[in-house]
């Protein structure tokens, strides 16, 4: 016999399998790896005060981009596709997007230096 829950509009639905609310060891390893990747691709070279600020600005923009895009996609698709992502999934998606963003920014800056559009750092 299965437990049934009553929703706010009175419909009965079978009890679905609930995911664990906390971060598992696999989640923590994935998040740590993506943070290391994002930080690694965000490090900039140059004169001391400028390179540190550029690196911090790049890291901040990568993580803001990651969380912003995740919340934008969730906001646009949650009602249509009827899903409810957990906090763990949101954090995993956001740090993965931050790592992708940091890598693509590094490639873009390398292309600009290679083509001579910006001077190489000294």
């Amino acid at each position: 016999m299965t437990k049934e829950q009553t929703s706010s509009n009175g419909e009965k639905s079978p009890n679905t399998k609930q995911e664990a609310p906390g971060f598992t060891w696999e989640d923590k390893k994935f998040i740590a790896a993506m943070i290391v990747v994002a930080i690694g691709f965000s490090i900039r070279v140059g004169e001391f005060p400028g390179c540190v600020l550029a690196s911090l600005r790049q890291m901040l923009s990568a993580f803001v981009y990651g969380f912003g895009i995740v919340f934008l996609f969730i906001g646009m698709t949650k009602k249509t596709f009827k899903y409810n992502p957990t906090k763990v999934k949101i954090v995993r998606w956001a740090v993965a997007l931050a790592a992708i963003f940091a890598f693509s920014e590094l490639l873009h800056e390398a292309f600009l230096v290679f083509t001579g559009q910006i001077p190489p750092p000294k």
Side-chain angles (χ1 to χ4, degrees):
M1 200 154 139
T2 62
K3 285 186 172 182
E4 292 186 331
Q5 296 176 341
T6 305
S7 62
S8 60
N9 60 3
E11 296 177 349
K12 290 187 177 183
S13 61
N15 190 10
T16 59
K17 182 180 175 184
Q18 296 290 330
E19 292 187 21
F23 290 92
T24 64
W25 176 245
E26 294 296 320
D27 294 330
K28 291 176 184 178
K29 284 192 317 187
F30 177 81
I31 291 168
M34 290 298 110
I35 288 173
V36 167
V37 168
I39 290 172
F41 286 121
S42 296
I43 294 175
R44 300 295 181 250
V45 296
E47 294 180 17
F48 178 66
C51 68
V52 172
L53 291 176
S55 297
L56 290 175
R57 189 177 315 124
Q58 181 64 31
M59 284 182 241
L60 178 66
S61 66
F63 287 106
V64 167
Y65 171 83
F67 279 99
I69 292 297
V70 166
F71 284 121
L72 180 70
F73 282 157
I74 289 172
M76 291 185 340
T77 62
K78 185 176 180 179
K79 193 169 186 178
T80 304
F81 298 116
K82 296 179 174 74
Y83 68 96
N84 192 16
T86 62
K87 290 178 185 178
V88 174
K89 286 183 182 178
I90 291 171
V91 171
R92 283 180 63 112
W93 295 340
V95 295
L97 283 174
I100 292 169
F101 178 76
F103 177 69
S104 66
E105 280 295 310
L106 179 74
L107 287 179
H108 181 229
E109 288 182 14
F111 172 77
L112 293 177
V113 169
F114 180 70
T115 59
Q117 297 178 33
I118 59 174
K122 296 180 180 187

